[in-house]
Amino acid sequence: MISSKLVVSLLTTISGYTGYAIPGALPHIETLPHNVLEQRVCGRPCQVYGFTFPNGAIVIDEALAIGTDPVATSILVHELTHFLQMKS
């Protein structure tokens, strides 16, 4: 599970760099096994680790060490940036 404290911190940082406003509600973020993520996003095996749907919901590979591994966390930052883009 990805902590809301981390999400708020990342959204604040992204907003500061991009100027995108932070909406009142945090995005729904769901962590999934890689094979489920592939099926939900691509419908077949693919190289996906995170995805933001048009409604702002985010799905991310549960194997990623979000919050401890900078590379893994950067994938969440990327998806949160899409979230802010969609909400602005």
Side-chain angles (χ1 to χ4, degrees):
M1 178 172 175
I2 299 170
S3 79
S4 59
K5 182 177 177 180
L6 175 62
V7 172
V8 169
S9 174
L10 293 174
L11 285 172
T12 302
T13 301
I14 296 164
S15 177
Y17 280 108
T18 64
Y20 293 129
I22 300 171
L26 296 179
H28 173 75
I29 302 173
E30 185 176 4
T31 57
L32 301 170
H34 187 76
N35 64 324
V36 175
L37 180 64
E38 289 175 324
Q39 285 304 310
R40 190 169 299 173
V41 174
C42 303
R44 60 178 175 73
C46 64
Q47 292 292 325
V48 63
Y49 294 99
F51 188 81
T52 304
F53 291 99
N55 68 359
I58 296 171
V59 288
I60 200 152
D61 194 316
E62 70 181 11
L64 296 175
I66 304 291
T68 57
D69 176 12
V71 174
T73 305
S74 75
I75 294 170
L76 178 58
V77 168
H78 178 88
E79 298 310 326
L80 289 171
T81 302
H82 287 309
F83 169 76
L84 290 180
Q85 288 171 327
M86 291 174 185
K87 295 298 179 180
S88 65

